[in-house]
Amino acid sequence: MTVTNSTKTPEDLQLAITAEFAAGVDRVWQVWEDPRQLERWWGPPTWPATFEDYDFQPGGKAAYYMTGPDGSKPRGWWQFTSISAPTALVVEDGFADDNGDPMTEMGSASMSVSLEDRSGLTLMTITTTFENEAQMEQMLAMGMEEGMREAMGQIDSILAG
Amino acid sequence: MANPAGVIYNQMVVDQLSEDTVDRLFQALSDATRRDIVRRVSSEPFSVSGLAALYAMSFAAVQKHVAVLERASLVTKEKRGREQMVNANRDGLQRARQLLDEYEAIWRQRAVRIADILAEDNEQLGDALP
């Protein structure tokens, strides 16, 4: 199983999830550092993500959109709060309007990522803290869509293979 | 009006949760004092005046916070003598947990996709070997 642990703190709207990968820390870091790799896993098959701007440095911003099954393209922004290559990064994730400007009334979610070496394997822990209900609802909506079952099928086939 | 939020709300698939319920729930939990109240009454019931003594705010303000939590089904109130006792509502907290469960599912999928990308390295490496 890729995901080894998860801890939910409902009263803080917080989720910490830990996954183990069969690759070194430097290699796993690239799936965050390289937007072309990032967009291959950020969105589910039915909501693929496209990162247009990606300024991967402390204080830097990223702009992305996701493409829904009906062709809708909700936009999002990231801001990198801190980056300590190749082991830690903190990023704020929020929704943007059609011009790419942050929709401040929607709030943002804070994601803290850490990578740890475990004898050549990498333990990745993501702690997400949601700020408000709208932010979380939207993130759920874009991840959960009908693609959920599809994705579960993919997981099954990988496990069976 | 071009509003991506509206589009997405319509496509929401959050099991058995109406939007109103979710709105109330998260609005209730968006305040630090209210989260603190929920944490405290999760371990033992508190009277409203007992809670009011804990915060630098008026009894009326604390009463308001409790009312918001009650509407969101996160706490229940019962009269005990002259006191209003505030208890945690396990079902309400369970709903917040459900939403986090769904977010967890998203990350489980992401982890699988990352593993797939990493696995390609090995395939390419395998190709390069004699």
Side-chain angles (χ1 to χ4, degrees), chain A residues 4-140:
Chain A
T4 54
N5 187 50
S6 74
T7 309
K8 280 156 242 170
T9 320
E11 61 270 33
D12 292 334
L13 300 184
Q14 194 176 79
L15 168 77
I17 191 152
T18 302
E20 189 183 84
F21 296 106
V25 167
D26 288 331
R27 176 63 189 95
V28 178
W29 182 256
Q30 288 169 11
V31 307
W32 288 97
E33 185 178 38
D34 174 4
R36 299 291 82 80
Q37 292 184 42
L38 172 63
E39 58 195 13
R40 290 184 56 199
W41 64 267
W42 183 253
T46 44
W47 281 95
T50 306
F51 283 80
E52 296 172 301
D53 300 321
Y54 203 70
D55 185 14
F56 193 71
Q57 58 173 325
K61 289 179 183 169
Y64 70 98
Y65 61 86
M66 298 178 83
T67 306
D70 63 351
S72 64
K73 286 185 162 55
R75 309 187 67 87
W77 57 268
W78 279 9
Q79 180 153 26
F80 299 103
T81 311
S82 66
I83 297 181
S84 311
T87 55
L89 73 106
V90 179
V91 59
E92 285 289 320
D93 180 13
F95 283 91
D97 61 22
D98 290 340
N99 300 320
D101 297 321
M103 293 163 72
T104 48
E105 73 279 9
M106 303 299 294
S108 60
S110 166
M111 266 190 312
S112 173
V113 183
S114 82
L115 303 183
E116 277 173 75
D117 174 64
R118 288 294 161 91
S119 319
L121 302 178
T122 300
L123 220 52
M124 179 170 87
T125 301
I126 318 269
T127 304
T128 307
T129 309
F130 294 92
E131 193 181 316
N132 63 35
E133 79 284 2
Q135 180 66 29
M136 187 165 183
E137 267 189 50
Q138 289 216 3
M139 288 193 170
L140 286 173

